[in-house]
Amino acid sequence: MQHVQSGTPINLAATAAVSKTAGTLLGFYVNNKTIGATLVLSHGTATGGTAITGTITPLIGFHALHVYCPTGLFATIAVQPMDITFFFAAG
């Protein structure tokens, strides 16, 4: 039996909440970015939540990151733009 994980694609190009509800981040795909662009993920729906990651300088492509976010997920994007699609499963 095959286990399939899927989530809602949420596209961001600037600092914003990925989700305001509890759920699981399955990963993210960096579609395009400016040289030097960075990403920090944190619990919550606004700046100042508990950091899940340090500062990431991701390459273009898919990055698997399975983490449960009980209070939502917030993405801080520095050196914009960075076009990212997050895959988030609510619940």
Side-chain angles (χ1 to χ4, degrees), residues 6-65:
S6 63
T8 301
I10 301 159
N11 187 259
L12 296 179
T15 296
V18 175
S19 177
K20 295 183 178 184
T21 61
T24 301
L25 174 66
L26 303 173
F28 58 94
Y29 192 95
V30 177
N31 303 298
N32 199 348
K33 68 177 204 142
T34 301
I35 293 173
T38 61
L39 171 67
V40 176
L41 300 175
S42 56
H43 289 294
T45 59
T47 302
T50 303
I52 296 170
T53 67
T55 301
I56 302 168
T57 306
L59 299 173
I60 292 175
F62 184 74
H63 303 267
L65 180 60

